[in-house]
Amino acid sequence: ARIAGCDPIIAVDVHPNRLELARSLGATHTIEAGKGDPVAEIRRLTGGVGVRASLEAAGSPQALRQAVDCLQSLGTCCLVGSCRKGTEVSLDMNVIQAGRMVRGCFQGDSVPDQFFPRLVELLRAGKLPVERLITHYDFADINRAVADSIAGRTIKPVLRMPK
């Protein structure tokens, strides 16, 4: 979001350590979802208007509903979180009637010939610190990787295959 020039950048999470990481990576505001109403806080931070765009990355129906409810009129929410097949969400139809849009994202919705060279350029320039999001685990530690992910101790667990 920072690279794209977004402002404000409001991160919402249930894990304080993830919010700290978000702030260090460019979030201008952080909201701990378990403490109060994230939608009300986002509306307060945006002068009651809401945000132009939101991302739901948790795969949670409640988080998706909040990501839609915090949009301004004509805003877009993009669902990037993974969830189990059959997971449903309830949305207020009046919220959608105000021109808000909810959409999914498939493989980053990018043109690979343009997108991957741009990612490499950003990585080489030190502007895309993906290493701060990744924790490596030996394959034998797969259960710990899953537990750490669920507990919020890691963003992206990456397994190393045995040689």
Side-chain angles (χ1 to χ4, degrees):
R2 184 182 58 171
I3 291 169
C6 298
D7 186 45
I9 300 169
I10 305 168
V12 180
D13 204 306
V14 295
H15 301 289
N17 59 313
R18 288 184 179 194
L19 294 172
E20 184 179 318
L21 176 63
R23 179 121 9 217
S24 75
L25 293 173
T28 57
H29 304 82
T30 56
I31 300 169
E32 192 171 340
K35 295 183 177 180
D37 179 358
V39 175
E41 182 62 9
I42 289 168
R43 293 237 173 245
R44 185 189 71 74
L45 290 169
T46 59
V49 176
V51 295
R52 287 176 298 174
S54 63
L55 297 174
E56 193 292 319
S60 158
Q62 178 184 6
L64 179 60
R65 174 69 188 261
Q66 292 171 339
V68 171
D69 288 348
C70 73
L71 292 172
Q72 61 183 240
S73 293
L74 304 177
T76 300
C77 174
C78 187
L79 172 62
V80 297
S82 297
C83 59
R84 290 194 167 120
K85 185 175 178 147
T87 302
E88 296 184 4
V89 66
S90 174
L91 297 173
D92 182 336
M93 290 172 62
N94 290 306
V95 170
I96 303 300
Q97 281 180 320
R100 293 170 181 95
M101 182 171 40
V102 180
R103 63 171 305 237
C105 178
F106 181 71
Q107 303 286 326
D109 285 356
S110 67
V111 178
D113 290 348
Q114 297 168 5
F115 185 62
F116 288 115
R118 177 71 175 135
L119 285 180
V120 170
E121 176 186 315
L122 291 168
L123 281 166
R124 286 183 176 157
K127 295 181 180 178
L128 194 62
V130 294
E131 70 280 355
R132 295 185 59 200
L133 307 176
I134 295 171
T135 304
H136 290 93
Y137 298 85
D138 290 333
F139 187 77
D141 293 326
I142 188 170
N143 291 333
R144 185 169 59 94
V146 171
D148 285 355
S149 182
I150 291 169
R153 289 185 290 269
T154 186
I155 305 291
K156 290 292 177 193
V158 174
L159 296 175
R160 289 187 180 121
M161 301 306 286
K163 293 180 180 185

